[in-house]
């Protein structure tokens, strides 16, 4: 049998149906008597609702907060000191805090008819001043979103590390001190499939059936139980095929609560499918950071101390289950990244504004942190007069220090960061680029080279999240394994796939343990009725946590299969082995199919002393240390810039990535390519702007620009594989890494190209307008 286990580039099992149009998404589900829902959304960002008028002829099919008085608001609480909770009503109750907030839901036979009904519902508003700038939101006289708070700050955090007085000492002896301000834009996730939810009350089972495009069906069930006040056992959440998530589908949304309530209230199936305008203006915002950073270094660029402040625009409400503090509270602990230095302090603010709540997005907080930190490192290198990658090499954690606890007590499990960066520098050929820069390009464009390096803490578990005190704390990840009468292995796992190929990689884990062919493994995901409880798919955790759980379950069921096989072969258990889909012993072998058939259909052939447990197990798994794995990568990029029109072309792009032992290198390549494409969008194109009164300025893809095939270069990937000492196969989480590095690497390349003009870009995206403005400002100051 050819190797199809851990380390093999096995073709994805799920692609057979997905590439033939045989996938089944929320929009493909139909119930008898199903009705469609359209939501009336607020056209203003901040106001009090003074009245809602519903025409009498449609009153029975229009629902407002008055109808849902028995539904609790969505609350994402936290035990972090100073945290201020926000209660988000599924439908607005009295006050509007963002454009697109839900006010009413209209029910009809078709979506078009339901949308027409929303036009007939009249709402009167008492308009209030809006808060659209996160820095001004902290002003004493700024309008208040949640009056009971007394300010607009969800949470303020402060981290200080290093011996007392080291910051002042470092500042005093530093030969180089650089101070910079950085900004990242608000973005939208833009998966191919938006959100969607259908619900039906099953009167026979007295159970609510919810079909949702969710990354975490079990967490959605928990949230629905809290809001609706009904038992978990009376709610079944099913997540079918999911057309991309990136974190966007990793929350409980108000629409899910509304649709679930409506199905019970009407005793009729109902459905809502998000359109792209709803997605852009109301639901899918992420990544809006501002940084003030001062770095102190010696004359060679060796970092001595880092002093930082960071503000994150968290929007109007705190999302369930992660809370509004997910990004800012992480910044303080992850800003140092893979660098080793002696003094550090960082203060952060999670700020409320009249914008949609900020949601988790691929590389949560890390993309902004990498952008700020890596641009600081380049600024230090320019002051030191050295190559940026050489300065980084002097500051990175050395390989012989692993495992390593950094200045914020992050436990780096393994890796060789300097080697990773050296490989990227060699692959991009720094010397050749520097030689090329000595002469003018034939077309007059300027060439620039940029680097970034970062770490991605992934698969962190109970020990990390318990301190957050949020409604979701991961524990033992569980997996069920069952052998069927025809020898197929069924795996039931609580995580869910939204494009990562989990049906394939989890089958490969089964192959690694049992030797069973992946085509004989059936992976069942996304149904709370049949899968073990799980916090779901987030934080690049699936192959560490679910992979470990599947391996454990396969080991246990393998022992049971071996015992039965040995009995049937009339051999000692110590003399048989499990592999290649059978149990083999001194006198022959017996297939999994025959073992399954005997257990279920011919139990009379089993010895009397066979164990009664059968061929079905549920097993739990935690890594030896669950503070997280640390994958990492170095990105190197070469750009060409037309300074007349502000156009940036990526000429070459190299990624050197270390995700530990790779379960399926082909799938990892796809993850890195896809993530890098999103990162290029963050760097150059994507920006959700708002007016001073909180109006979103992009409502379609004509205004919100995504990179396409012509904007994504041929990305060259080199894999290192440094096993984690704490996980089953040495694997690490790697799903988010590709999206973290591009903005920093590209911005550094742009600054490298334009340094002689006095241009330094510290805000993304680097649009032609922003780039030309910076060039113009530099030319003006030069005069």
């Amino acid at each position: 049998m050819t190797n199809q286990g851990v380390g093999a580039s096995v073709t994805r099992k799920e692609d057979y149906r997905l590439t033939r149009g045989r996938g089944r998404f929320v929009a493909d589900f139909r119930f008898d008597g199903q009705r469609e829902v359209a939501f009336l959304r607020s056209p203003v960002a901040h106001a009090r609702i003074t009245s809602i008028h519903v025409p009498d002829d449609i009153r029975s099919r229009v629902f407002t907060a008055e109808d849902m008085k028995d539904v609790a608001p969505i609350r994402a609480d936290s035990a972090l000191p100073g945290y201020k909770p926000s209660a988000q009503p599924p439908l607005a109750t009295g006050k509007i805090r963002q454009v697109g907030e839900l006010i009413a839901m209209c029910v009809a036979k078709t979506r078009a008819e339901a949308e027409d009904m929303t036009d007939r519902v009249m709402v009167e508003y008492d308009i209030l001043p809006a808060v659209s700038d996160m820095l001004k939101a902290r002003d004493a006289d700024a309008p208040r979103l949640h009056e009971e708070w007394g300010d607009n700050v969800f949470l303020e955090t402060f981290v200080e590390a290093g011996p007392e007085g080291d910051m002042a000492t470092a500042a005093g002896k530093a030969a180089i001190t650089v101070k910079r301000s950085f900004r990242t834009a608000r973005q939208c996730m833009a998966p191919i499939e938006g959100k969607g939810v259908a619900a039906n009350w099953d009167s026979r089972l007295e159970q609510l059936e919810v079909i949702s495009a969710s990354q975490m069906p079990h967490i959605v069930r928990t949230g629905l139980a809290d809001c609706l006040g009904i038992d978990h056992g009376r709610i079944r959440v099913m997540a079918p095929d999911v057309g991309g998530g990136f974190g966007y589908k990793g929350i409980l949304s108000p629409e899910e609560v509304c649709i679930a309530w409506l199905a019970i209230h009407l005793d009729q199936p109902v459905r809502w499918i998000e359109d792209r305008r709803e997605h852009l203006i109301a639901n899918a915002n992420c990544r809006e950071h501002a940084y003030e950073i001062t770095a102190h270094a010696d004359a060679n660029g060796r970092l001595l101390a880092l002093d930082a402040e960071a503000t994150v625009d968290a929007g109007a409400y705190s999302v369930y289950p992660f809370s509004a503090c997910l990004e800012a509270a992480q910044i303080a602990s992850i800003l140092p990244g893979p660098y080793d230095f002696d003094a550090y302090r960082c203060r952060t603010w999670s700020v409320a504004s009249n914008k949609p709540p900020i949601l988790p997005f691929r590389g949560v907080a890390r993309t902004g942190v990498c952008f700020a930190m890596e641009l600081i490192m380049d600024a230090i290198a320019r002051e030191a007069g050295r190559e940026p990658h050489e300065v980084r090499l002097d500051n990175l954690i050395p390989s012989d220090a692993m495992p390593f606890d950094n200045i914020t007590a992050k436990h780096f499990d393994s890796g060789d960061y300097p080697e990773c960066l050296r490989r990227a520098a060699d692959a991009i050929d720094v010397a050749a680029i520097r030689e090329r820069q000595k002469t003018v390009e034939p077309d007059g464009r300027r060439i620039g080279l940029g680097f970034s390096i970062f770490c991605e803490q992934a698969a962190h578990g109970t020990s990390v999240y318990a301190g957050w005190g949020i409604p979701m704390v991961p524990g033992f990840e569980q997996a069920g394994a069952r052998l069927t009468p025809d020898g197929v292995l069924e795996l039931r796992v609580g995580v869910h796939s939204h494009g990562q190929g989990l049906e394939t990689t989890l089958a490969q884990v089964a192959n690694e343990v049992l030797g069973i062919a992946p085509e004989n493994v059936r992976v069942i995901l996304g149904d709370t009725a049949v899968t073990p409880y799980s916090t779901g798919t987030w934080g690049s955790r699936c192959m560490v946590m679910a992979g470990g759980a599947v391996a454990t379950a396969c080991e246990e069921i393998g022992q049971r299969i071996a015992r039965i096989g040995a009995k049937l072969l009339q051999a000692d258990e110590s003399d048989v082995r499990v592999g290649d889909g059978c149990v083999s012993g001194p006198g022959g072998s017996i297939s999994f199919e025959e073992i399954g058939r005997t257990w279920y259909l011919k139990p009379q052939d089993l010895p009397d002393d066979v164990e009664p447990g059968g061929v079905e197990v549920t097993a739990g798994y935690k890594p030896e240390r669950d503070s997280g794995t640390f994958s990492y990568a170095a990105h190197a990029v070469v750009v060409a810039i037309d300074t007349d029109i502000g156009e940036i072309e990526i000429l070459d792009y190299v990624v050197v990535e270390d995700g530990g032992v790779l379960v399926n290198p082909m799938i990892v390549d796809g993850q890195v390519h896809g993530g890098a494409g999103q990162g290029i969008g963050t760097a150059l194109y994507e920006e959700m702007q708002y007016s001073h009164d909180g109006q979103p300025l992009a409502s379609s893809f004509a205004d919100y620009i995504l990179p396409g095939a012509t904007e994504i270069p041929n990305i060259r990937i080199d894999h290192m594989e440094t096993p984690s000492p704490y996980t089953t196969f040495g694997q690490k989480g790697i799903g988010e890494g590709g999206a973290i590095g591009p903005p920093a690497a590209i911005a550094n390349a742009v600054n490298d190209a334009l340094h002689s003009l006095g241009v330094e870009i510290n805000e993304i995206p680097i649009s032609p307008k922003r780039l030309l403005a910076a060039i113009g400002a530099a030319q003006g100051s030069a005069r």
Side-chain angles (χ1 to χ4, degrees), residues 304-334:
L304 303 174
L306 196 71
D307 197 357
E309 292 185 350
T311 304
V312 172
D313 190 327
Y317 297 103
S318 197
V319 296
Y320 181 99
F322 290 106
S323 93
C325 308
L326 178 67
E327 298 248 345
Q330 284 196 82
I331 286 172
S333 65
I334 65 176

Side-chain angles (χ1 to χ4, degrees), residues 9-51:
S9 291
V10 175
T11 303
R12 295 186 358 152
K13 290 160 60 75
E14 47 271 80
D15 285 350
Y16 180 82
R17 70 175 186 277
L18 295 176
T19 58
R20 289 165 174 79
R22 295 175 182 174
R24 199 174 186 201
F25 301 85
V26 174
D28 296 316
F29 282 80
R30 297 286 190 279
F31 293 102
D32 290 340
Q34 178 175 290
R35 293 293 182 264
E36 302 290 339
V37 173
F39 288 99
L40 173 63
R41 298 178 180 272
S42 171
V44 297
H46 202 193
R48 299 194 187 279
I49 299 174
T50 58
S51 69

Side-chain angles (χ1 to χ4, degrees), residues 228-376:
L228 300 177
I230 60 179
D231 297 338
H232 280 68
R234 298 181 69 191
I235 303 174
R236 179 185 184 185
V237 176
M238 294 164 280
D241 288 322
V242 176
F246 312 125
Y248 176 52
K249 298 169 183 174
I251 65 165
L252 173 69
S253 68
E255 291 89 352
E256 286 170 319
V257 177
C258 288
I259 295 298
W261 174 85
L262 191 59
I264 298 172
H265 180 76
L266 295 180
D267 192 17
Q268 187 174 28
V270 290
R271 185 183 68 167
W272 165 76
I273 303 297
E274 179 185 66
D275 64 29
R276 191 57 65 177
R277 185 171 185 274
E278 289 178 299
H279 177 85
L280 288 169
I281 71 168
N283 285 346
N285 280 201
C286 59
R287 279 188 189 153
E288 187 174 6
H289 297 190
Y291 297 85
E292 296 286 339
I293 298 181
T294 301
H296 305 288
D298 67 17
N300 288 321
R302 182 76 168 85
L303 193 59
L304 303 174
L306 196 71
D307 197 357
E309 292 185 350
T311 304
V312 172
D313 190 327
Y317 297 103
S318 197
V319 296
Y320 181 99
F322 290 106
S323 93
C325 308
L326 178 67
E327 298 248 345
Q330 284 196 82
I331 286 172
S333 65
I334 65 176
L335 186 62
Y339 297 114
D340 184 18
F341 54 94
D342 294 329
Y344 174 68
R345 66 185 176 203
C346 181
R347 190 176 300 275
T348 74
W349 292 270
S350 301
V351 174
S353 70
N354 292 115
K355 298 175 186 175
I358 195 169
L359 306 185
F361 181 38
R362 194 175 197 171
V364 175
R366 290 158 181 79
T367 303
V369 161
C370 177
F371 176 72
M373 192 68 194
E374 291 303 282
L375 265 66
I376 278 286

Side-chain angles (χ1 to χ4, degrees), residues 498-516:
H498 49 93
Q500 307 95 313
L502 289 175
E503 294 174 41
T504 302
T505 49
L506 294 177
Q508 288 181 253
V509 170
N511 172 268
E512 184 73 17
V513 177
L514 296 173
I516 186 171

Side-chain angles (χ1 to χ4, degrees), residues 646-703:
E647 181 186 64
I648 300 170
E649 181 185 359
I650 299 173
L651 302 180
D652 195 9
Y653 205 115
V654 170
V655 177
V656 182
E657 183 104 35
D658 189 343
V661 174
L662 304 182
V663 174
N664 186 315
M666 180 186 68
I667 286 179
V668 171
D669 282 351
Q671 291 274 30
V672 174
H673 278 283
Q678 287 182 308
I680 290 168
T682 300
L684 299 177
Y685 304 104
E686 298 183 50
E687 184 171 16
M688 175 56 76
Q689 295 182 326
Y690 282 79
S691 67
H692 71 281
D693 55 354
Q695 288 291 332
L697 301 180
S699 59
S700 74
F701 286 152
D703 305 304

